Amino acid sequence: MKNQTKNILVAPLNWGLGHATRCIPIIQELEKNGFNPIIASDGVALSLLRKEFPHLTTIELPSYDIEYAKKGENFKWKLIKNSPKTIYAILQEKQQIKKIVKEHQLAGIISDNRLGVHSKKVPSVFITHQLTVLSGKTTWISSKLHQHFISKFTECWIPDVNEIPNLTGKLGHLKSTKLKLTYIGILSRLQKKELPIKYQLMVILSGPEPQRTFLEEKLITELENYKDNVVFIKGKVEAEQKTEQIKNITFYNFMQTEQLEQTFNESEIVLCRSGYTTVMDLAKLQKKAFFIPTPGQFEQEYLAKKYKKEGLVPSSRQEKFKLDGLLLVQLYNGLPNIKQEVNWKQLFHLFESE
């Protein structure tokens, strides 16, 4: 094929699993369109993508080494405290990208929220759903800073639509901007299938430690009195998949795409974080859910409040969650079914200029 020799670097941020998992359909479509994806990341994000694409070349990038606060209210200050380490990692990343562009003769770069992964020598795309970066009283600073980084890229792809209804609200939509934005539609690696219901409740965890563990422990305690079938995916990417059956609950440490797609389609309702990648999956699959945002993560808290206010998905703060909250799910409408298909050929045309 014409594009067979064109190498495209795909580099998701290692922040939970969401950035990595929403890059899965991008990598798949690059292969379908005759490109050769090269994966670059670190930590669990890189581990996950190596499991999904064992045949592809992978590169380890410097870790942003993000540490998370044990208390949600300290989340922002912990990030600020760690910012010198993050900035150093971004500078290291930029130096490494110069070498990667040359060594692998890249034809393009797709960075999902990795701020240093771009080059003046090849078209560079930044993927984000956050043009506005919420941080309380410092939102205007964090947003301007983020937009400044985005301006270094050739294009910015937003996994949402530019009309109403949309999924990101003020996160992904600005009143005015000089940035070159493309709303690409909803990104999900999963497909809707009509399967018999096997589980009344699917719990899927993700996101940073120690909050992931705190929620796991809380939900296991809450579910002691739940009588129906539960599948509980802990979101811990390890060398091998582990399963455990305790009474009516089937536990998995993690699932890969094919099994996860089946499990979503076999589940009645989903209990999870309000991370944006999960939101897109639920919208694509038209599954009803209950959200527990990661404490202190402004973006997840905003999305949970937005969907609750719009009568789409109920939610609760982590420390206040009680099992009977799940009874509210059927009173809400569920996320909108957004029909816009991603036009991959048009998006990838950016990388076809000689």
Side-chain angles (χ1 to χ4, degrees), residues 159-214:
D160 197 6
V161 293
N162 197 22
E163 58 266 5
I164 296 172
N166 59 64
L167 295 180
T168 57
K170 68 181 180 183
L171 295 180
H173 300 81
L174 300 173
K175 289 179 181 176
S176 64
T177 183
K178 291 180 181 177
L179 296 173
K180 190 174 180 186
L181 307 178
T182 303
Y183 290 86
I184 66 173
I186 302 305
L187 269 185
S188 175
R189 56 181 167 152
L190 308 177
Q191 300 296 326
K192 182 173 174 58
K193 294 178 179 175
E194 295 300 330
L195 297 176
I197 296 299
K198 186 175 176 182
Y199 306 103
Q200 275 60 52
L201 178 64
M202 175 183 184
V203 177
I204 180 162
L205 303 185
S206 60
E209 295 290 4
Q211 293 298 337
R212 191 213 59 81
T213 296
F214 292 163

Side-chain angles (χ1 to χ4, degrees), residues 67-329:
E67 294 177 18
Y68 301 91
K70 290 186 177 179
K71 292 185 178 179
E73 62 265 28
N74 297 330
F75 184 84
K76 180 173 74 170
W77 305 114
K78 190 78 168 177
L79 288 183
I80 292 170
K81 184 184 172 187
N82 288 334
S83 59
K85 283 195 293 184
T86 304
I87 292 165
Y88 179 66
I90 292 167
L91 294 173
Q92 283 186 304
E93 190 173 64
K94 288 178 79 168
Q95 291 305 311
Q96 194 172 342
I97 291 302
K98 287 179 183 177
K99 295 176 185 174
I100 293 169
V101 170
K102 191 174 180 181
E103 287 173 13
H104 294 272
Q105 297 182 306
L106 296 185
I109 292 170
I110 300 174
S111 166
D112 189 326
N113 275 266
R114 292 196 84 109
L115 301 173
V117 180
H118 57 83
S119 171
K120 290 179 180 177
K121 295 188 175 180
V122 297
S124 303
V125 172
F126 191 76
I127 297 179
T128 186
H129 62 279
Q130 293 187 82
L131 301 171
T132 300
V133 179
L134 301 177
S135 60
K137 291 178 181 177
T138 54
T139 290
W140 68 278
I141 302 172
S142 52
S143 299
K144 287 293 179 191
L145 192 60
H146 200 230
Q147 290 163 29
H148 170 72
F149 277 111
I150 295 171
S151 71
K152 305 291 183 186
F153 290 75
T154 314
E155 288 186 7
C156 178
W157 294 352
I158 301 160
D160 197 6
V161 293
N162 197 22
E163 58 266 5
I164 296 172
N166 59 64
L167 295 180
T168 57
K170 68 181 180 183
L171 295 180
H173 300 81
L174 300 173
K175 289 179 181 176
S176 64
T177 183
K178 291 180 181 177
L179 296 173
K180 190 174 180 186
L181 307 178
T182 303
Y183 290 86
I184 66 173
I186 302 305
L187 269 185
S188 175
R189 56 181 167 152
L190 308 177
Q191 300 296 326
K192 182 173 174 58
K193 294 178 179 175
E194 295 300 330
L195 297 176
I197 296 299
K198 186 175 176 182
Y199 306 103
Q200 275 60 52
L201 178 64
M202 175 183 184
V203 177
I204 180 162
L205 303 185
S206 60
E209 295 290 4
Q211 293 298 337
R212 191 213 59 81
T213 296
F214 292 163
L215 184 56
E216 178 188 328
E217 291 168 351
K218 181 175 180 63
L219 293 182
I220 288 172
T221 301
E222 285 290 326
L223 287 168
E224 284 177 359
N225 298 318
Y226 193 79
K227 305 300 182 191
D228 294 319
N229 286 344
V230 179
V231 59
F232 195 119
I233 304 153
K234 296 180 179 182
K236 295 170 72 175
V237 180
E238 296 171 319
E240 293 181 6
Q241 188 186 63
K242 299 170 190 168
T243 63
E244 185 181 15
Q245 185 75 39
I246 301 177
K247 296 181 182 177
N248 58 320
I249 306 177
T250 309
F251 290 95
Y252 290 84
N253 52 346
F254 71 94
M255 283 185 182
Q256 287 180 240
T257 299
E258 189 176 342
Q259 187 181 19
L260 192 66
E261 179 181 271
Q262 176 162 338
T263 306
F264 259 111
N265 281 293
E266 289 176 335
S267 301
E268 185 72 32
I269 63 172
V270 181
L271 176 59
C272 55
R273 296 293 194 196
S274 47
Y276 188 62
T277 300
T278 306
V279 167
M280 289 192 289
D281 289 339
L282 291 166
K284 178 86 174 284
L285 299 174
Q286 286 296 282
K287 286 289 175 184
K288 291 198 168 187
F290 190 102
F291 287 144
I292 303 174
T294 302
Q297 219 165 306
F298 290 94
E299 165 225 354
Q300 289 195 16
E301 290 172 346
Y302 164 76
L303 290 173
K305 284 177 187 173
K306 167 182 159 63
Y307 304 140
K308 190 173 187 177
K309 186 178 178 183
E310 292 171 356
L312 303 176
V313 182
S315 57
S316 164
R317 291 173 61 173
Q318 184 166 297
E319 66 273 17
K320 292 191 173 179
F321 175 76
K322 294 292 179 189
L323 195 61
D324 57 12
L326 297 179
L327 298 172
L328 297 171
V329 171

Side-chain angles (χ1 to χ4, degrees), residues 8-27 30 37-50 52-53 56-66 68 90 93 97 100 109-118 125-129 153 187 277:
I8 308 296
L9 191 75
V10 181
L13 182 64
N14 177 33
W15 179 304
L17 295 175
H19 297 283
T21 55
R22 74 184 183 193
C23 283
I24 289 173
I26 296 172
I27 295 165
L30 281 167
I38 295 171
I39 297 165
S41 191
D42 67 284
V44 291
L46 186 58
S47 298
L48 176 85
L49 292 174
R50 280 174 170 160
E52 293 283 341
F53 302 101
L56 293 181
T57 300
T58 59
I59 299 168
E60 186 162 4
L61 293 176
S63 173
Y64 284 25
D65 203 20
I66 302 164
Y68 301 91
I90 292 167
E93 190 173 64
I97 291 302
I100 293 169
I109 292 170
I110 300 174
S111 166
D112 189 326
N113 275 266
R114 292 196 84 109
L115 301 173
V117 180
H118 57 83
V125 172
F126 191 76
I127 297 179
T128 186
H129 62 279
F153 290 75
L187 269 185
T277 300

